[in-house]
Amino acid sequence: MAVQAGVSATPVPPAAPGAAFGPAVALSCRECGERTPLGPAFACALCFGPLEVAYELPAADPGELRRRIESGPNSIWRYAPLLPVPADVAGRPNLAPGFTKLVKADNLARELGVTGGLYVKDDSGNPTHSFKDRVVAIAVEAARAFGFTTLSCSSTGNLAGAVGAAAARAGLRSCVFIPHDLEAGKVVMAAVYGGDLVAIEGTYDDVNRFCSELIGDPLGEGWGFVNVNLRPYYGEGSKTLAYEICEQLGWRLPDQIVVPVASGSQLTKIDKGLRELIALGLVEDRPYRIFGAQATGCSPVARAFKDGHDVVRPVRPDTIAKSLAIGNPADGPYVLDIARRTGGAVEDVTDEQVVAAIELLARTEGVFAETAGGVTVGVTKKLLDAGVLDPSLTTVVLNTGDGLKTLDAVAAGPRATIRPSLDAFRAAGLAG
Amino acid sequence: MAVQAGVSATPVPPAAPGAAFGPAVALSCRECGERTPLGPAFACALCFGPLEVAYELPAADPGELRRRIESGPNSIWRYAPLLPVPADVAGRPNLAPGFTKLVKADNLARELGVTGGLYVKDDSGNPTHSFKDRVVAIAVEAARAFGFTTLSCSSTGNLAGAVGAAAARAGLRSCVFIPHDLEAGKVVMAAVYGGDLVAIEGTYDDVNRFCSELIGDPLGEGWGFVNVNLRPYYGEGSKTLAYEICEQLGWRLPDQIVVPVASGSQLTKIDKGLRELIALGLVEDRPYRIFGAQATGCSPVARAFKDGHDVVRPVRPDTIAKSLAIGNPADGPYVLDIARRTGGAVEDVTDEQVVAAIELLARTEGVFAETAGGVTVGVTKKLLDAGVLDPSLTTVVLNTGDGLKTLDAVAAGPRATIRPSLDAFRAAGLAG
């Protein structure tokens, strides 16, 4: 079977807009603007640019729309009117992720000298404890709409668990591909939901190449790869981070927001979400600045930003922040655009700074972040110290995952090991 | 310094009811009913019975109280009017746990043959991913009220992390005691929040004995042990599970509820919470049945229930469900009372059944439970098979923790390890 550029081998009739995809009306090319019907496609047939979801958003009174959202479920489905999902999505079997805590981080603010209000958007509260539940939830609804029966992805960790769990609850088969040398904990999380887990002898790049082959082959018929042929839908899930942050701030834009950069997709969708809220009149139109955060061991976007380049030169990742270790980030150029347009920046921190930031956040706010959260908190500290972030402005820092999944990154342990006696405790010098 | 039975060595003036403790007015003995002022006490001075919090609950119109709760925060603090906490508790720095998902488990219901509605109350969504955040949050407020400066506990896992995180955010010092041979993951979770973690050379029983000594010694002055001298307050946190379940069912009692039994405290407080909702008119007064769930390797309460005894004979725990491995459960007799009074039961399942139940829940609903959740789901299945649970009634099963913390319990892994080629994938026979 011949395969068009970026189009799944599976012949699927495009769904009627307005039903399965709510306010979404088409896919549009981010490069040339060409529109194509909603379908399992991911690259423009004209210019091979990335496709994204285009909407006709509701022309509601902002006050009424706010009330409608506020009376919705405590999940991303409160924003169903702004997402490519059916209106009855909250009643379907899915993991209902999102509406995670926006933690007012006063202790951390004091340590960092922030006076304008510092918040941590803590996505470790999601069902499988990372922001991936948001994006996968949208991909699941698209998979249903396209009649896919198997949900799939390539992954090095968080995404594998999110896809396995979401497919299980949705009643879809899942088949997830991982490199063969993953940590045991991530393997268990990827396999426990009962889907097929396949280990590939090779690197993550080998896994990705294999998945691309599979999509174009009849073997892959009926398969929805959340981060390939469902990617335009999947990506929209990250908009909900922007929606939630603004609603939780009292329908107000943050002045500054610090976002981790792996492929860069999340940062671009947060920007898209903020612009939609402004366009709908849900928040006042004021300037906001978006900052990207990378680990120095995989910082191609930060490098390009600092060098003033528009092009991102791929690197070979070498960092403990494995969930951000994408050496050739697809959305890197868009991240550069957004950081420059909003007056933000892209910065990086060393692995030592990542660990110190994980410990700082845990010690001050009781939030145990995964390494990606260490990257954003570390970059926040670095940008404050450098005078790039303004401490007098409202600042939101994203924690997109859970420390329980990257335990090896921190070396926390007992202060003392003692016999069970008061004398031994006294001698240890810990009786405060 | 002489120490009264069950009273901390620390001289603390009892706080005025109505301020720091909201609707709580006294501590009362569960055995003889004797009342004592609100203070850091845990055993009755007359009969050594356990103390619990007594209230003068608001005489509000039920509809008005429901609306007040529903407009409150998405945490246990929406129930502040029914808890021993100040009215402004939601504005204080704490972890704001609770209001976790009540998952409608239709897939699991189909597998188990439940037709009356099956729900999983999933407390893995709490800040440190177990129900312990609920109880510790109440203990933190009591510690503040009593002027304690160090938060402490003995723990084998979930509680250590919950105390460390809660103290960090509340700005309290923490000092937590664990057995020296704990799993690495639990040690990291206990230490990462920056409090003092002390490993004790000995068993969990040795750790407990040491803590009892410390409470009676001047070394322990100013220390709040959440599960000892703050226990009456701490325990009240479990009532919120009952409140949330009923509110999430649309202000309706479940017909049947399956609760894990370690010390038994949680089950007794869930019963207390349900009775309070009935007394306040927030739910219709109808019969409900409470079922206790234990692992066979530590099932002293199930044994006593089956033997028709009132007394629980201590056992030496030997089970993978370590968070339930309390061989001499303090509230065992009360659990027996409640199971018998409500027409429930106490049942146990083997470790093999626990693992199978963890996998069943993950496969059907995408919820990865810790071993304690495997115990409740396993017992639910066993009681349905035995005709003890009625499949035509609304049934709620508690999952009190997170599978990420007990990874070793399940042996999930890849179905196949292959070279990155379509031929190899075809040969593996997984192309569904």
Side-chain angles (χ1 to χ4, degrees), chain B residues 267-278:
Chain B
L267 188 145
T268 68
K269 298 303 181 186
I270 285 175
D271 178 59
K272 186 179 181 184
L274 296 177
R275 286 185 287 116
E276 285 173 354
L277 294 185
I278 293 170

Side-chain angles (χ1 to χ4, degrees), chain A residues 74-75 78 93 95-99 101 103-107 122 124-129 149-150 164-166 168-171 173 175 177-178 180 184-189 191-202 206-207 210 213-214 217 219 221 223 358-359 362-368 402 404-405 407 410-423 425-426 430-432, chain B residues 74-75 78 93 95-99 101 103-107 122 124-129 150 164-166 168-171 173 175 177-178 180 184-189 191-202 206-207 210 213-214 217 219 221 223 358-359 361-368 402 404-405 407 410-423 425-426 430-432:
Chain A
N74 290 326
S75 71
R78 65 204 282 116
L95 293 177
F99 216 55
K101 287 188 199 304
V103 176
K104 187 149 199 297
D106 289 344
N107 298 330
D122 185 15
S124 67
N126 273 318
T128 72
H129 305 324
T149 50
T150 297
R169 181 145 167 87
R173 180 193 175 224
C175 186
F177 299 93
I178 57 170
H180 71 292
K186 287 185 181 164
V187 173
V188 171
M189 269 293 270
V192 74
Y193 302 104
D196 289 332
L197 177 69
V198 177
I200 298 283
E201 291 167 353
D206 294 323
V207 180
F210 168 79
E213 270 191 84
L214 187 50
D217 191 272
L219 269 183
E221 268 187 40
W223 288 45
I358 291 174
E359 291 172 350
R363 176 168 59 78
T364 51
E365 302 298 342
V367 173
F368 183 23
D402 200 291
L404 270 178
K405 294 198 194 177
L407 280 174
V410 291
R415 299 249 195 248
T417 300
I418 62 169
R419 285 174 297 108
S421 86
L422 294 179
D423 282 346
F425 183 57
R426 201 175 282 114
L430 293 171
Chain B
N74 290 326
S75 70
R78 65 203 284 114
L95 293 177
F99 216 56
K101 287 188 200 306
V103 176
K104 186 147 199 298
D106 290 344
N107 298 331
D122 185 15
S124 68
N126 273 317
T128 71
H129 307 322
T150 297
R169 179 144 167 89
R173 180 193 175 226
C175 187
F177 299 93
I178 57 172
H180 71 293
K186 289 186 180 166
V187 173
V188 171
M189 269 293 269
V192 74
Y193 302 103
D196 289 331
L197 177 69
V198 177
I200 298 283
E201 291 167 351
D206 294 323
V207 179
F210 168 78
E213 271 190 82
L214 187 50
D217 190 273
L219 270 182
E221 268 187 40
W223 286 45
I358 290 174
E359 291 171 351
L361 180 62
R363 174 168 61 76
T364 51
E365 301 298 342
V367 173
F368 183 22
D402 199 292
L404 270 177
K405 294 198 194 178
L407 281 174
V410 291
R415 299 248 194 249
T417 300
I418 61 169
R419 283 173 300 107
S421 85
L422 293 179
D423 283 345
F425 183 57
R426 199 175 286 113
L430 293 171

Side-chain angles (χ1 to χ4, degrees), chain B residues 81 93 229 386 390 427:
Chain B
N229 58 349
D390 184 337

